[in-house]
Amino acid sequence: MQVSVAHHPPNTAVLVLRGSLDIDTAPALKANLSRLVERPTPRVVVDVAGLDFCDSMGVGVLVTAHGRAAERGGWVRLAAPSGFLRRLFDTLGLSDYLPMFPDVPSALKED
């Protein structure tokens, strides 16, 4: 999995994921997200358009990061999830917990 980060004001980061998010790559995502959600009022958009696959470890990292951001008055949002990822979050009952947006610009401007 490839991860890149772009920072946007105010205190917002866009994390772009490419490849597979699974048991082997989840620790790298966790490290990146942990650093981002420790900031005051963290706002993180995770662009998942380039994900080929996501397993339960990946879902767990995303959900945990959102919870930690919310504790600090911020959020984590998913941008451009595939049909597979939407169905996965629906099946797990997480669609209402972790906000999903059609694209990065929508996730950035929604408040």
Side-chain angles (χ1 to χ4, degrees), residues 7-108:
H7 295 277
H8 298 264
N11 202 27
T12 304
V14 176
L15 195 67
V16 180
L17 307 182
R18 300 282 179 256
S20 295
L21 176 52
D22 55 29
I23 193 167
D24 295 324
T25 59
L29 176 61
K30 182 178 181 179
N32 278 286
L33 279 172
S34 292
R35 184 173 35 85
L36 294 171
V37 299
E38 290 305 316
R39 301 180 305 175
T41 319
R43 298 158 47 116
V44 181
V45 174
V46 182
D47 181 354
V48 294
L51 277 187
D52 302 329
F53 177 76
C54 181
D55 69 7
S56 61
M57 290 292 292
V59 170
V61 169
L62 294 168
V63 168
T64 300
H66 176 66
R68 289 179 70 198
E71 289 171 358
R72 300 177 76 77
W75 43 256
V76 172
R77 296 174 174 171
L78 299 184
S82 65
F84 164 77
L85 202 54
R86 282 188 175 279
R87 285 188 302 278
L88 178 61
F89 275 78
D90 284 344
T91 300
L92 296 172
L94 296 170
S95 296
D96 291 334
Y97 179 71
L98 189 59
M100 292 186 237
F101 295 82
D103 52 40
V104 171
S106 299
L108 286 171

